[in-house]
Amino acid sequence: MEDIIAVDNLVKRYGDVIALDHFNLHIAPGEVFGLLGPNGSGKTTAINCMLQLLTYDKGSISLFGEPMAPARYDLKRRIGIVPQNVAVFEELTVQQNIDYFCALYVQDRSRRAALVEEAVAFVGLEDYVKYRPRKLSGGLLRRLNIACGIAHKPELVFFDEPTVAVDPQSRNAILEGILRLNAQGSTIVYTSHYMEEVEEICTRIMIMDQGRALATGTNDELKAMIGTGERIRIEVDAADDAVLEALRALPCVAGATFDGAMLEAACGNGQHNVADVLAVLAARGVATGRIYAEPPTLNDVFLEITGKALRD
Amino acid sequence: MQAFKAALRIVMNHPVYLLVYVGFLSLMGVFITSSVNVGGDGTEYTASKAPFAVIDRDGSPLSESLTAFLSRQGEKVEVIDDPFAMQDAVATGQVRYLLVVPEGYGDDFVEAARAEDAEPVLESAFSYGTMAGTLVDEQVNQYLGLVRAAAALEPDAPAASVLARADEAAAASAEVETVHAANGAAPADQFAFYLQWGTYTMTAAVVVCVGLLMSAFNRTDLYRRNLISPMSSLRLGMQKAAASLLVTALVWAISSGIGLAAFGSSLADVPLAAVALTLACAFVFALVPLTIGFLLGQLGASEMMANAVGNILGMVMSFLGGAWISIELMGPEIQALSRFIPTSWYTDAVSKSVHLTDMTFASVAPVLGDMGIVLLFAAALFAVALVAGRVRMRSSEAGGNAAASMTAA
């Protein structure tokens, strides 16, 4: 199937700063694709280049199999955007705002009325249609921002950090909405620096840093790329240096630490990591309490690839 | 037409601005024009009557006669003989002149007049801010002068006879006839003054409304959001321009309509074409605040900024353009400066157009010339606004690079 987005060797410079460094991106129709990276990693710049809001120094961008250009209004008509900053008219009501943005894409009034109503219901703003944006909470504003971006039922939707400064309830509603949108046939590009969100909804993820794509794959594929298999944490009363050294001597253990209450062992990929660690502790007479075995997170992936944490 | 409709909604969602800037200021223009009596018909002369009060502690025939004389010249107000009441009456403008006649004044005055001694002194107080009190004081002196002369002429005559002679002399007055000077104010000047004063109304109203509309669309996030849409920048710009023009026309129509309703009768002797030309002048002038509002929008000015600029610029332009006070009354520096203010060309055009008696090219050309200059001001401001908008959209605030907007149009 032809890629809905094809970006090849994209280079974008701001003076001496390279915002995108030979950036490549290929997304198939129907995907929920996550662009994950810290602030300033180039996620928004990449989207702005794809949408022709920014010029770029080198490379090519195709959307829907066609070269993208500022005047390709036929392609723009098939795209929805939910920008990072809420972009609505403060002077218009919720309904008037959604209608305005929908009308940029859909001229037919009766069809638009149905689409606006559907978008209002989609984001759960039925009780607020007559409200002006300034009367909405941060979470409701974000929902309005989404409704404005998706009311025309685009084939491809860009969500640029849509859950920043949003309460947990609205955050869940937004993420559920994105999945429903995808189920209805829209391809989603989702940028965030919240790895939990990306893990939760994205079918494929690209990890970015300093304008470069560091790794791309499914959640499991990315975690399989790194040495860390799982992180085992065990409640113990005491663990001296000898215990820690014994753990580190295990082939499956990459590192072991003890903070006075919890012993933590970073393990590689292995079938019997927990059993091996517990055996060492039993042999040293260390009494154990609760045991936690956690799979690696995307932060672990990012940490291993870049040497720094995702939220540094 | 979605952007056009949204733009109009933005303005209509601020009805207070239309009400205050267009309705209230236009009505204020009506009241001010009526009060200055520009170009009134002037067929009858009416002497002004200043309010005054007499605190008569004497109760003599002279003090009563003096009070009666003043009552024929002005409007007598009762004020009680109390220091605070007298101060209040003068300070608040209840009376423009307050006279205190001390006890024994009448006898002392007549006696002094016959003996050619120094006359006793009257206490008086004037209200500041007007010359009316001074004029009443002159009338008091005039009457006492007549009494003095009558008393001196008839040293043995009783007081009643002296006062009767003084009253007789004081009753004489000059005939007044109103004559229109050839270059004096015509009735149509009333409407012209209203339109000239209305430069403030139009500047404030149009700058605020258009600035509000443009600022909403030019907020960085919204501007970028619109760029991503399938509507071209050119179409979007055209729709915003159409909405701005409609708002401007609305302000012009309401303001001019109120003026016509109030002073339309003063245009009875003005040819219809000249009235139309005068109104056209007002519309052309309205394009200047339209471009100022556009400039504010391009600069991303806030609603508060649009209000501040609309009001301050409206007042400055009206004052320096001679819309409120004739420019001839100002110093040469201000007169020179006024030539760089579009309002001065507009006021000139309006003054000329309401005095047109025929509509030949020769008579209309000076008006058209003035309006051409006003149009040039508008065009220059529009060009500045376009440049300012482009510079801003290239700035870091707008995202660092908006070259797409340049090519998308």
Side-chain angles (χ1 to χ4, degrees):
Chain A
M1 193 182 291
E2 193 171 38
D3 289 333
I4 199 163
I5 295 177
V7 178
D8 292 298
N9 280 317
L10 194 65
V11 176
K12 169 67 187 172
R13 289 192 183 88
Y14 289 116
D16 294 334
V17 177
I18 299 182
L20 291 173
D21 186 2
H22 294 89
F23 177 77
N24 294 293
L25 175 68
H26 289 261
I27 299 176
E31 284 196 87
V32 179
F33 192 92
L35 282 175
L36 180 66
N39 291 329
S41 59
K43 304 185 298 290
T44 301
T45 301
I47 289 182
N48 285 343
C49 286
M50 285 184 247
L51 295 170
Q52 306 296 301
L53 273 175
L54 293 175
T55 54
Y56 40 92
D57 301 287
K58 193 179 163 189
S60 67
I61 296 171
S62 295
L63 300 183
F64 308 102
E66 304 268 346
M68 185 59 175
R72 286 302 301 266
Y73 301 117
D74 55 333
L75 300 183
K76 287 183 175 181
R77 195 172 291 281
R78 300 162 71 181
I79 299 171
I81 173 76
V82 178
Q84 189 171 351
N85 297 325
V86 175
V88 296
F89 289 99
E90 288 167 13
E91 297 82 359
L92 303 184
T93 64
V94 164
Q95 184 149 28
Q96 287 169 346
N97 263 297
I98 300 172
D99 185 60
Y100 169 80
F101 286 107
C102 189
L104 296 176
Y105 301 82
V106 180
Q107 308 300 318
D108 182 72
R109 192 178 292 182
S110 59
R111 183 169 163 245
R112 195 167 73 231
L115 288 171
V116 170
E117 199 175 328
E118 211 174 312
V120 168
F122 187 84
V123 295
L125 286 176
E126 294 95 329
D127 296 335
Y128 305 96
V129 287
K130 301 279 185 209
Y131 282 48
R132 299 257 180 97
R134 72 184 62 168
K135 290 192 173 176
L136 300 180
S137 67
L140 293 176
L141 260 182
R142 287 275 166 194
R143 291 199 219 174
L144 171 61
N145 202 32
I146 291 171
C148 292
I150 55 104
H152 59 289
K153 289 195 178 297
E155 295 168 53
L156 171 63
V157 192
F158 290 89
F159 285 89
D160 192 4
E161 309 251 14
T163 57
V164 173
V166 164
D167 61 280
Q169 194 183 353
S170 290
R171 175 188 164 279
N172 290 337
I174 289 169
L175 296 182
E176 283 169 17
I178 290 170
L179 290 177
R180 268 188 288 145
L181 206 60
N182 177 244
Q184 290 170 9
S186 296
T187 303
I188 310 290
V189 179
Y190 187 88
T191 79
S192 178
H193 60 272
Y194 297 134
M195 57 186 175
E196 300 87 352
E197 290 179 2
V198 174
E199 281 190 78
E200 188 178 336
I201 65 167
C202 294
T203 52
R204 224 152 53 91
I205 300 159
M206 173 183 280
I207 295 179
M208 290 184 70
D209 192 36
Q210 296 181 332
R212 284 180 295 130
L214 301 179
T216 308
T218 63
N219 192 13
D220 291 339
E221 284 170 349
L222 287 173
K223 288 171 184 174
M225 287 177 190
I226 60 170
T228 304
E230 63 186 327
R231 197 171 293 279
I232 297 169
R233 295 190 301 134
I234 305 169
E235 285 180 359
V236 296
D237 291 334
D240 56 19
D241 288 346
V243 172
L244 294 177
E245 283 306 315
L247 286 172
R248 286 172 193 144
L250 285 172
C252 65
V253 174
T257 56
F258 177 62
D259 65 3
M262 191 73 78
L263 188 149
E264 187 169 308
C267 301
N269 292 311
Q271 297 291 315
H272 314 292
N273 293 338
V274 176
D276 292 347
V277 168
L278 288 176
V280 168
L281 295 178
R284 299 274 170 170
V286 177
T288 58
R290 280 176 289 191
I291 300 167
Y292 307 91
E294 295 164 348
T297 63
L298 288 175
N299 195 39
D300 295 320
V301 178
F302 193 81
L303 181 67
E304 194 158 321
I305 295 173
T306 65
K308 62 184 180 184
L310 191 56
R311 285 169 185 163
D312 280 355
Chain B
M1 295 299 280
Q2 196 59 21
F4 175 78
K5 281 194 276 185
L8 288 183
R9 273 183 183 146
I10 288 167
V11 176
M12 294 306 169
N13 281 344
H14 291 82
V16 174
Y17 286 155
L18 291 173
L19 204 65
V20 171
Y21 284 116
V22 190
F24 178 73
L25 288 183
S26 293
L27 289 176
M28 189 189 270
V30 170
F31 289 127
I32 289 174
T33 305
S34 303
S35 65
V36 297
N37 195 27
V38 182
D41 59 9
T43 53
E44 195 177 322
Y45 167 76
T46 311
S48 67
K49 286 179 174 284
F52 72 96
V54 177
I55 306 296
D56 189 359
R57 294 172 184 163
D58 185 22
S60 66
L62 173 58
S63 65
E64 287 170 2
S65 188
L66 174 61
T67 304
F69 168 74
L70 290 179
S71 298
R72 290 193 290 274
Q73 315 298 321
E75 180 191 337
K76 188 168 182 289
V77 176
E78 291 300 333
V79 175
I80 60 170
D81 189 359
D82 172 76
F84 289 111
M86 288 191 281
Q87 286 172 31
D88 280 351
V90 177
T92 60
Q94 192 186 347
V95 297
R96 297 294 180 198
Y97 181 77
L98 188 136
L99 180 69
V100 179
V101 185
E103 195 175 346
Y105 178 82
D107 292 340
D108 292 349
F109 181 87
V110 174
E111 200 174 306
R114 285 172 173 163
E116 296 186 9
D117 288 342
E119 292 155 4
V121 179
L122 284 170
E123 288 178 51
S124 61
F126 303 73
S127 172
Y128 61 88
T130 168
M131 293 301 288
T134 311
L135 291 174
V136 178
D137 195 52
E138 282 299 313
Q139 287 167 343
V140 170
N141 291 334
Q142 178 200 353
Y143 187 78
L144 292 177
L146 292 171
V147 174
R148 188 192 309 116
L153 282 171
E154 297 179 60
D156 299 324
S161 172
V162 170
L163 293 174
R165 190 173 282 270
D167 282 336
E168 189 183 342
S173 63
E175 287 289 320
V176 177
E177 186 184 355
T178 305
V179 178
H180 282 296
N183 58 351
D189 281 329
Q190 225 175 7
F191 184 66
F193 182 85
Y194 170 81
L195 285 184
Q196 288 163 345
W197 192 91
T199 52
Y200 171 53
T201 306
M202 276 205 280
T203 303
V206 174
V207 166
V208 170
C209 290
V210 173
L212 189 74
L213 178 164
M214 287 292 179
S215 297
F217 276 91
N218 286 336
R219 263 177 243 142
T220 305
D221 293 324
L222 271 172
Y223 179 84
R224 292 162 67 80
R225 178 70 186 78
N226 281 319
L227 274 183
I228 297 165
S229 79
M231 181 185 285
S232 71
S233 297
L234 185 65
R235 272 183 60 200
L236 182 66
M238 294 292 281
Q239 291 190 27
K240 284 190 291 182
S244 302
L245 201 60
L246 185 62
V247 168
T248 304
L250 191 69
V251 171
W252 165 79
I254 294 174
S255 178
S256 301
I258 290 174
L260 282 172
F263 307 112
S265 57
S266 71
L267 297 169
D269 296 333
V270 181
L272 201 60
V275 175
L277 182 65
T278 307
L279 292 173
C281 290
F283 185 76
V284 170
F285 174 76
L287 298 178
V288 174
L290 168 63
T291 53
I292 295 170
F294 178 62
L295 173 61
L296 287 177
Q298 294 289 84
L299 294 173
S302 65
E303 190 175 330
M304 194 180 286
M305 176 69 84
N307 274 284
V309 172
N311 278 287
I312 295 170
L313 206 63
M315 285 191 262
V316 170
M317 278 174 53
S318 299
F319 178 74
L320 292 179
W324 290 350
I325 300 170
S326 180
I327 205 75
E328 284 82 16
L329 299 176
M330 298 182 196
E333 296 86 4
I334 300 290
Q335 287 191 27
L337 180 63
S338 74
R339 307 317 282 169
F340 297 97
I341 308 290
T343 320
S344 74
W345 299 96
Y346 165 67
T347 54
D348 195 42
V350 168
S351 297
K352 287 173 186 165
S353 60
V354 294
H355 288 121
L356 288 174
T357 50
D358 59 65
M359 295 299 287
T360 61
F361 179 75
S363 62
V364 169
V367 178
L368 296 179
D370 285 345
M371 294 328 295
I373 293 170
V374 174
L375 263 180
L376 284 176
F377 273 107
L381 283 166
F382 183 68
V384 170
L386 285 180
V387 173
R390 293 216 159 198
V391 169
R392 177 173 169 253
M393 283 307 157
R394 285 179 190 274
S395 70
S396 56
E397 184 203 351
N401 179 351
S405 67
M406 313 304 169
T407 52

